[in-house]
C-alpha cells in the first residue's frame, strides 16, 4: 500500500476487543509495509554497526604500515556509508508510509462507524472523546505502527552484533553479549509506572478536550447568562491538571532516558578497562580493541529504539483503547441477515408504541416526555437506542431513562442477568428497517433531530445533499420561511448572493431559529419518502411557526411526514394526531377533537398543571372554561382554538 492509494477500498473489520488487540490488528493488516520497513531498517542498522569493523581494520592497517589494507578499509567504509545512507532514506520513507496509512485506516474506520451510528454515537460516548480519537489519538496509534518495524530491525541488529563480537573477539564479545540484554531490559521495571502516568495524562487531556468542546459549543448561551468566566475557570483548572499530569509523566520518561544513558556508559567503561588489560597481555590487538569499543558506542543508537517503542506503546495503548471502544459500538440489527437494497414504501409502524403513520399523510405525535420523543424519533428512523436492547417493555421506563455507560449498559443493572431480547424493529411497508442495508434505510426514512448540526461552508454546499431532485432549494427555503436568513446572508456575501455566503462551524453566526429553519430546508430538499421531524419549530415565533406548518404541509403533500411536537399550530394542521403516553399510543384523532375529549392530551398541549386539570366549577352561562373543559354553550371549537393560540 502506497500513500497515493489512500483511502482504502475496504479498511477491513477491526478487532476492537481491546486496545492491544486493535494495535496488533493494524500491524497485521500492514504486514507488507512492515516487512519493507524491516528490510531497509536492517540494511541501515547493520551498516551502522559494521562501521566499527572498518575503522578497526583501518587502524590496524596503519599500525602494521600496510597501504593496501588501508585502501581496502577505506573502500569498505565508503561502501558501508553508501548502504547506510540508502537504508536510512528508505527506512524513513517506508516507516512514515506505515504511520500515515495506519492513521488513515483508523480515521476511515471512525468515519464509517460515525456515519453508521449517526446521532446515537454521542449518546454512547462523549463528543469530545470522539474528537480526541479522530485527531490526536490516530497520530499516536500511527506512531506505534511506525516504530514497530524500526524496533524489530534494531533488536535484530543488536543480536547480530553481539554474536559477531563473540566470534570476532570472544574475550570482549562475551562481556558485551551479557551486558546488552541487561541494558535492554533495565527499564522494564519502570515501564508500568510510566504507563499509568501516561494513561492518567491522556484521561485528563480527554476531559479537558470535552470541556473545551462543550464550552465553545455553548458560548453564545454562556455569554447570555454571564457564565463565560465560570466555565473559563473550569477549563483553566482542567488545563492545569493536564499540565501536572504531563510533568509527572515526563519525569518518569526522563528517568528512563537517564537509565538508557547511564548503563551503556558503564558498559563502555567496563569494556575499555577490560580491553586495555587484554591488550597489555597481548591477547588482543589495538585494532580489535578499537573495533569492540566502536561497536559498543554504535550499539547505543539501536538501543534508543527500545526506549522509543516502550514510549510509543505506552502512549498509543490508551489511544487504541479509546478507538476500540468507539469502533466496538454496533448498530442493532435483527437476526436473519439483510434484505435487498430496494427501498420499501408504505405505512410507518412502530410495534413497541403502536404508532402508525399512514403513507402520504402528515402525522403529528405528542409526547409528554421530550426525552421519550427523541428516542421515539430515533426508533422511527431505524436507530434503536441502548435501552431497546435491554428491555422488552414499551413504557417510558423501558426506553431507558437511566444513565448509560460507555459500554451501553444501564445503570443499576445486574451484570449477571442475561440480556433481554431486543425490541422489535420499526416497519416500513411491512419491512423491518433493521433488516435493510444501512444506506437503504437512511434513504427511506430521514430523521431530523431537535438540535440539528450545520456544517461549515456556503449555503449552496449546505443544501447540496443527496435528494430525489423533486424539491428545489428555493422551494425548501420558502417552505421553511428562510427569507430573513437569506437577507442576512446576502449582506455577508461578496457578490450579494446568499447561496455563496459562508456559514461558520455549526452555524454559530446564526440565531437558534435561523439554524433550525436552515436545517429544516436541508431536510426538505432531500425529499425522502418518509420524513421524521423532532420539534422542528421550537426556536421560532408563533407567526413564523404557522407559516412553516403551512409550507411543510404543502411541500410534503403525498409524502409521509411525522412531526413530534406539542405546538398547537403544527398539531392543528396535521392530518392525524397521535398521543403517546407512558410509551404507548393512548389516543388518535384530530387536534381539535383530542383537545375536547382527551385530558392527557390537553394537559400537554395547553401546558396545564395538575391542579388545573382537576374538576372545577363550570361557567354558569356555558362556554369553555379557562382550564379547557368542554361545556355546552355559545363558545365553539373555533373560540377554543383562539384561546390556545393566544396562550
Amino acid at each position: 500500500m502506497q500513500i497515493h492509494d489512500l483511502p482504502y477500498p475496504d479498511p477491513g473489520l477491526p478487532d476492537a476487543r481491546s486496545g492491544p488487540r486493535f494495535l496488533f490488528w493494524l500491524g497485521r493488516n500492514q504486514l507488507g509495509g512492515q516487512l519493507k520497513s524491516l528490510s531497509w531498517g536492517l540494511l541501515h542498522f547493520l551498516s551502522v554497526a559494521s562501521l566499527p569493523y572498518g575503522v578497526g581494520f583501518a587502524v590496524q592497517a596503519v599500525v602494521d604500515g600496510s597501504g593496501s589494507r588501508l585502501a581496502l578499509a577505506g573502500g569498505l567504509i565508503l561502501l558501508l556509508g553508501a548502504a547506510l545512507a540508502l537504508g536510512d532514506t528508505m527506512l524513513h520513507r517506508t516507516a512514515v508510509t506505515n504511520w500515515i496509512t495506519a492513521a488513515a485506516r483508523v480515521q476511515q474506520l471512525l468515519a464509517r462507524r460515525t456515519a453508521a451510528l449517526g446521532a446515537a454515537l454521542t449518546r454512547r460516548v462523549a463528543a469530545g472523546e470522539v474528537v480526541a480519537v479522530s485527531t490526536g489519538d490516530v497520530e499516536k496509534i500511527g506512531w506505534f505502527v511506525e516504530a514497530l518495524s524500526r524496533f524489530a530491525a534494531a533488536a535484530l541488529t543488536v543480536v547480530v552484533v553481539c554474536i559477531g563480537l563473540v566470534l570476532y573477539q570472544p574475550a570482549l564479545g562475551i562481556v558485551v553479549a551479557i551486558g546488552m540484554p541487561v541494558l535492554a531490559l533495565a527499564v522494564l521495571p519502570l515501564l508500568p509506572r510510566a504507563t499509568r502516568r501516561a494513561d492518567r495524562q491522556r484521561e485528563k487531556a480527554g476531559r479537558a478536550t470535552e470541556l473545551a468542546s462543550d464550552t465553545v459549543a455553548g458560548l453564545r448561551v454562556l455569554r447570555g447568562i454571564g457564565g463565560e468566566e465560570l466555565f473559563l475557570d473550569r477549563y483553566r483548572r482542567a488545563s492545569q491538571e493536564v499540565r501536572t499530569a504531563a510533568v509527572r509523566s515526563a519525569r518518569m520518561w526522563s528517568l528512563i532516558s537517564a537509565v538508557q544513558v547511564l548503563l551503556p556508559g558503564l558498559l563502555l567503561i567496563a569494556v575499555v578497562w577490560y580491553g586495555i588489560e587484554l591488550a597489555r597481555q597481548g591477547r588482543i590487538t589495538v585494532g580489535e580493541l578499537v573495533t569492540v569499543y566502536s561497536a559498543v558506542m554504535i550499539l547505543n543508537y539501536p538501543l534508543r529504539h527500545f526506549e522509543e517503542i516502550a514510549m510509543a506503546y505506552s502512549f498509543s495503548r490508551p489511544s487504541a483503547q479509546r478507538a476500540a471502544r468507539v469502533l466496538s459500538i454496533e448498530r442493532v440489527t435483527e437476526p436473519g441477515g439483510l434484505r435487498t437494497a430496494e427501498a420499501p414504501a408504505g405505512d410507518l409502524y412502530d410495534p413497541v408504541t403502536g404508532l402508525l403513520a399512514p403513507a402520504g399523510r402528515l402525522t403529528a405525535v405528542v409526547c409528554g416526555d421530550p426525552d421519550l420523543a427523541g428516542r421515539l424519533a430515533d426508533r422511527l428512523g431505524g436507530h434503536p437506542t441502548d435501552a431497546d436492547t435491554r428491555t422488552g417493555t414499551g413504557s417510558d421506563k423501558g426506553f431507558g431513562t437511566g444513565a448509560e455507560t460507555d459500554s451501553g449498559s444501564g445503570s443499576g443493572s445486574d451484570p449477571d442477568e442475561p440480556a433481554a431480547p431486543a425490541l422489535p424493529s420499526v416497519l416500513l411497508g411491512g419491512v423491518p428497517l433493521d433488516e435493510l442495508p444501512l444506506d437503504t434505510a437512511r434513504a427511506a426514512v430521514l430523521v431530523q433531530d431537535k438540535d440539528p448540526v450545520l456544517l461549515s461552508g456556503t449555503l449552496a454546499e449546505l443544501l447540496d445533499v443527496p435528494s430525489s431532485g423533486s424539491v428545489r432549494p428555493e422551494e425548501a427555503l420558502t417552505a421553511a420561511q428562510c427569507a430573513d436568513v437569506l437577507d442576512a446572508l446576502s449582506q455577508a456575501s461578496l457578490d450579494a448572493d446568499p447561496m455563496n455566503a459562508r456559514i461558520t462551524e455549526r452555524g454559530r453566526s446564526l440565531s437558534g431559529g435561523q439554524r433550525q429553519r436552515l436545517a429544516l430546508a436541508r431536510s426538505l430538499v432531500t425529499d425522502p419518502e418518509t420524513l421524521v421531524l423532532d420539534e422542528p419549530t421550537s426556536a421560532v415565533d408563533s407567526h413564523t411557526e404557522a407559516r412553516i406548518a403551512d409550507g411543510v404541509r404543502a411541500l410534503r403533500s403525498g409524502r409521509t411526514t411525522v412531526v413530534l411536537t406539542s405546538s398547537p399550530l403544527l398539531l392543528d394542521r396535521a392530518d392525524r394526531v397521535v398521543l403517546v403516553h407512558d410509551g404507548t399510543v393512548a389516543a388518535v384523532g384530530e387536534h381539535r377533537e383530542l383537545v375536547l375529549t382527551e385530558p392527557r392530551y390537553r394537559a400537554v398541549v395547553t401546558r396545564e398543571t395538575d391542579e388545573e386539570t382537576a374538576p372545577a366549577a363550570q361557567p354558569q352561562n356555558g362556554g369553555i372554561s379557562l382550564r379547557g373543559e368542554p361545556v355546552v354553550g355559545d363558545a365553539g371549537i373555533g373560540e377554543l382554538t383562539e384561546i390556545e393560540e393566544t396562550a
Side-chain angles (χ1 to χ4, degrees):
M1 173 63 70
Q2 300 296 323
I3 295 178
H4 60 74
D5 295 326
L6 297 175
Y8 294 98
D10 180 12
L13 182 63
D15 187 349
R17 289 176 290 177
S18 66
R21 288 178 182 271
F22 180 62
L23 290 174
F24 176 75
W25 178 84
L26 279 176
R28 186 184 61 192
N29 277 267
Q30 292 184 206
L31 188 59
Q34 293 288 347
L35 291 177
K36 288 181 181 179
S37 184
L38 175 62
S39 302
W40 291 114
L42 284 174
L43 176 62
H44 171 64
F45 287 119
L46 289 176
S47 298
V48 172
S50 300
L51 282 176
Y53 178 77
V55 173
F57 189 68
V59 170
Q60 190 62 40
V62 172
V63 172
D64 297 339
S66 174
S68 59
R69 284 192 294 166
L70 181 60
L72 182 61
L76 178 60
I77 293 175
L78 288 175
L79 179 62
L80 291 175
L84 187 154
L86 176 62
D88 189 23
T89 301
M90 297 306 298
L91 171 61
H92 178 75
R93 179 183 179 88
T94 53
V96 171
T97 300
N98 289 335
W99 176 20
I100 294 177
T101 51
R105 186 190 295 271
V106 176
Q107 287 183 322
Q108 194 171 350
L109 290 170
L110 290 171
R112 293 194 175 194
R113 181 59 55 194
T114 302
L117 295 173
L121 175 62
T122 53
R123 287 191 293 270
R124 302 284 295 274
V125 295
E129 183 171 351
V130 178
V131 173
V133 171
S134 60
T135 54
D137 285 340
V138 296
E139 180 180 350
K140 297 175 180 60
I141 293 172
W143 177 27
F144 174 76
V145 174
E146 172 214 3
L148 189 60
S149 56
R150 289 191 283 111
F151 162 73
L156 289 175
T157 299
V158 171
V159 172
V160 170
V161 170
C162 288
I163 294 175
L165 288 178
V166 170
L167 297 177
Y168 176 71
Q169 178 44 253
L172 286 177
I174 292 176
V175 175
V176 176
I178 295 175
M180 282 299 166
V182 175
L183 297 182
L185 302 177
V187 297
L188 288 183
L190 301 176
L191 288 180
R193 180 177 296 181
T195 302
R196 287 195 299 270
R197 292 189 178 185
D199 291 349
R200 193 173 298 113
Q201 176 193 352
R202 294 298 164 193
E203 178 183 355
K204 292 185 178 296
R207 291 178 180 175
T209 301
E210 294 175 19
L211 180 59
S213 176
D214 293 342
T215 302
V216 172
L219 190 57
R220 180 190 295 269
V221 178
L222 292 176
R223 286 176 174 172
I225 63 176
E228 183 179 1
E229 288 298 326
L230 174 63
F231 276 79
L232 185 59
D233 289 339
R234 290 183 182 179
Y235 181 73
R236 285 196 185 101
R237 290 194 296 270
S239 179
Q240 289 302 311
E241 290 179 0
V242 175
R243 183 189 64 83
T244 302
V247 170
R248 286 175 54 82
S249 178
R251 286 174 180 170
M252 285 303 304
W253 290 111
S254 64
L255 177 60
I256 292 175
S257 297
V259 171
Q260 289 287 302
V261 172
L262 175 64
L263 294 184
L266 294 177
L267 177 62
L268 187 62
I269 292 174
V271 168
V272 171
W273 177 80
Y274 185 51
I276 291 175
E277 290 297 323
L278 293 178
R280 286 179 178 177
Q281 298 172 12
R283 297 171 57 184
I284 63 173
T285 63
V286 174
E288 291 174 338
L289 176 59
V290 171
T291 299
V292 176
Y293 168 80
S294 301
V296 175
M297 286 288 295
I298 292 296
L299 282 179
N300 286 332
Y301 173 56
L303 278 177
R304 301 296 295 181
H305 289 77
F306 286 73
E307 176 189 351
E308 182 190 9
I309 194 64
M311 183 179 295
Y313 179 74
S314 298
F315 278 83
S316 64
R317 187 179 61 84
S319 296
Q321 186 66 41
R322 288 195 289 204
R325 183 162 58 248
V326 175
L327 294 174
S328 63
I329 302 175
E330 296 289 344
R331 177 179 180 243
V332 180
T333 57
E334 294 289 340
L338 299 178
R339 295 174 179 261
T340 61
E342 183 179 355
D347 298 343
L348 184 67
Y349 176 68
D350 179 19
V352 175
T353 60
L355 172 64
L356 174 66
R361 301 181 67 186
L362 174 59
T363 302
V365 181
V366 177
C367 296
D369 182 3
D371 292 334
L372 174 60
R375 291 192 294 273
L376 178 57
D378 288 338
R379 279 190 51 79
L380 294 177
H383 313 291
T385 62
D386 291 342
D388 293 345
T389 65
R390 293 198 302 268
T391 179
T393 64
S395 64
D396 276 350
K397 185 176 180 181
F399 272 97
T401 57
E404 298 173 3
T405 61
D406 285 344
S407 61
S409 61
S411 61
S413 61
D414 187 355
D416 296 330
E417 291 183 4
L423 296 179
S425 170
V426 170
L427 305 178
L428 179 62
V431 178
L433 286 180
D434 284 347
E435 295 186 5
L436 294 174
L438 185 58
D439 54 348
T440 304
R442 292 283 173 84
V445 182
L446 174 64
V447 178
Q448 176 178 304
D449 295 334
K450 64 178 64 178
D451 296 315
V453 175
L454 302 182
L455 302 179
S456 59
T458 64
L459 180 57
E461 292 172 342
L462 175 69
L463 300 179
D464 184 16
V465 292
S467 63
S468 65
S470 301
V471 178
R472 294 182 293 108
E474 295 78 8
E475 295 175 334
L477 291 168
T478 301
Q481 299 299 308
C482 296
D484 62 317
V485 186
L486 296 178
D487 292 339
L489 291 176
S490 63
Q491 297 177 9
S493 177
L494 296 178
D495 56 1
D497 185 357
M499 302 301 290
N500 295 329
R502 293 199 62 82
I503 299 174
T504 58
E505 181 186 3
R506 300 179 70 91
R508 293 193 177 101
S509 59
L510 305 173
S511 67
Q514 290 173 330
R515 289 196 300 269
Q516 198 171 57
R517 283 177 283 163
L518 286 180
L520 176 59
R522 179 179 59 187
S523 299
L524 294 175
V525 166
T526 61
D527 190 37
E529 185 65 32
T530 302
L531 176 62
V532 180
L533 303 173
D534 186 7
E535 294 289 354
T537 59
S538 59
V540 301
D541 60 81
S542 58
H543 297 288
T544 305
E545 186 177 29
R547 293 194 296 269
I548 291 176
D550 292 333
V552 171
R553 180 182 176 88
L555 194 63
R556 293 287 301 170
S557 178
R559 296 285 199 180
T560 307
T561 307
V562 180
V563 182
L564 290 96
T565 182
S566 59
S567 168
L569 297 174
L570 289 176
L571 295 170
D572 190 46
R573 288 159 175 80
D575 298 320
R576 192 168 184 266
V577 178
V578 179
L579 171 65
V580 177
H581 183 72
D582 286 340
T584 58
V585 172
V588 179
E590 293 184 353
H591 166 62
R592 303 188 183 193
E593 173 191 353
L594 292 176
V595 167
L596 294 173
T597 61
E598 179 54 62
R600 293 171 295 184
Y601 177 83
R602 185 167 59 251
V604 175
V605 173
T606 63
R607 313 300 199 271
E608 290 180 340
T609 63
D610 293 338
E611 291 78 7
E612 291 173 328
T613 57
Q618 302 294 335
Q620 297 298 325
N621 60 346
I624 300 176
S625 69
L626 292 179
R627 287 177 292 277
E629 296 292 342
V631 295
V632 179
D634 295 334
I637 294 178
E639 294 179 67
L640 174 62
T641 304
E642 182 179 355
I643 293 175
E644 292 172 358
E645 294 183 356
T646 304

